[in-house]
Amino acid sequence: MGLRNDDAGAGRATTGAELSAAPVVSSAAPVTSPPAPEGHTRAAIVQLLLEEGPITATAIGNRLGLAPAGVRRHLDALIESGQARAGTSAPWQHKGRRGRPAKQYQLTAAGRGQLGHAYDDLAGAAIRQLGEIGGEQAITDFARKRARTIVAGIAPVDEHTPERTEAKAEELAEAFTGSGFAATTRKVGAGVQICQHHCPVAHVAEEFPQLCDAELEILREVLGTHVQRLATIANGDCACTTHVPLLPVAATTSAPPKQVAPSTAAQPAAAAPIDSGRSAE
């Protein structure tokens, strides 16, 4: 901690007694920066939960350089306020590790709501007015145009290989991140998942699912494969998750229908005697 200069003693010579009494400060001592304010630390943890959740407390501490006790104190406060929740690791994440599975933390819908949804009311009113003027098709056209704007400049996959498809998924995730979706990718089995950890229009998408539908449509168009939406924030899930298969889906060839001999072919129903259910009088 540095020595403070008093205004009253400024400018006067220091006596020998004062010099001998003063503590010796080594010039080689490391200078540590003051700890970050509570609000900044909490905000950094929230941002990490948003972008990389579910994530363990240990991983948060390693990323932010925080002590485990401090991380858990912030996480407990977020959980108590309903902004975060804890869950256990998936079995495949715990494979090969000893001991109890570590808890993983992620934001709740309420926690994401604290980040703000700019102009939700205005956007909702504008889309409703658009629907009144042009009908449902006008809303669909608007949603498609918006989705194309997000991925503008990204060329469709030219050749379907696992490497190129995964690289294109990462490119799409970066484009969505640039539009405020905090998107990442992760390898899962024979596919890759595009995870959008935030949705800047989630409240509007709850009323107008055409926005989500258009995003899925543009992902299929750019990736050139059958991608599947597994979860959406608009439906109350923690993230919008889209699965992209890395291996081409094998075309299924159905066997030609068997030829039925004329003698055994089924006869039209009209040829059968009509039974009204009444007994003959």
Side-chain angles (χ1 to χ4, degrees):
M1 183 174 182
L3 296 177
R4 181 173 57 88
N5 292 326
D6 294 328
D7 294 338
R12 64 180 177 84
T14 306
T15 66
E18 289 173 333
L19 286 173
S20 61
V24 178
V25 180
S26 172
S27 60
V31 178
T32 58
S33 58
E38 284 284 297
H40 292 175
T41 302
R42 182 75 53 82
I45 292 177
V46 168
Q47 187 67 23
L48 203 56
L49 291 174
L50 172 68
E51 295 178 354
E52 300 194 18
I55 186 173
T56 64
T58 301
I60 294 174
N62 292 338
R63 289 289 301 274
L64 301 180
L66 301 173
V71 172
R72 288 188 173 84
R73 178 167 54 84
H74 284 289
L75 290 173
D76 289 343
L78 290 170
I79 291 174
E80 185 177 355
S81 64
Q83 298 180 54
R85 66 182 180 186
T88 56
S89 316
W92 63 270
Q93 293 174 312
H94 189 63
K95 187 176 181 180
R97 300 179 183 177
R98 296 181 178 180
R100 298 176 59 185
K103 288 185 178 181
Q104 293 192 320
Y105 300 85
Q106 60 188 16
L107 289 181
T108 61
R112 286 193 304 271
Q114 297 293 325
L115 301 175
H117 300 270
Y119 305 108
D120 278 353
D121 294 338
L122 178 61
I127 296 178
R128 280 190 292 272
Q129 182 68 18
L130 178 64
E132 292 178 5
I133 296 174
E136 291 294 323
Q137 187 59 45
I139 297 177
T140 299
D141 292 342
F142 166 77
R144 288 174 175 169
K145 185 175 182 179
R146 170 184 167 274
R148 292 184 185 279
T149 301
I150 295 175
V151 301
I154 299 181
V157 175
D158 54 355
E159 181 182 355
H160 285 284
T161 64
E163 294 78 12
R164 294 193 179 188
T165 301
E166 185 175 4
K168 188 63 65 173
E170 293 175 357
E171 189 178 355
L172 287 168
E174 292 178 1
F176 274 89
T177 295
S179 296
F181 288 85
T184 60
T185 61
R186 60 183 179 185
K187 189 79 174 293
V188 178
V192 62
Q193 290 183 355
I194 301 175
C195 300
Q196 298 160 229
H197 304 280
H198 179 59
C199 178
V201 295
H203 291 177
V204 181
E206 291 176 7
E207 182 178 355
F208 300 101
Q210 294 94 329
L211 296 172
C212 297
D213 295 341
E215 289 177 14
L216 182 61
E217 182 178 321
I218 199 66
L219 290 176
R220 286 175 175 167
E221 182 177 320
V222 174
L223 291 167
T225 186
H226 180 70
V227 301
Q228 184 178 4
R229 183 63 58 83
L230 303 179
T232 62
I233 293 174
N235 286 335
D237 298 303
C238 293
C240 296
T241 306
T242 306
H243 181 76
V244 181
L246 294 179
L247 299 177
V249 180
T252 57
T253 55
S254 56
K258 295 181 179 180
Q259 297 294 330
V260 181
S263 59
T264 60
Q267 298 299 320
I274 300 176
D275 185 3
S276 64
R278 294 187 306 165
S279 59
E281 296 181 357

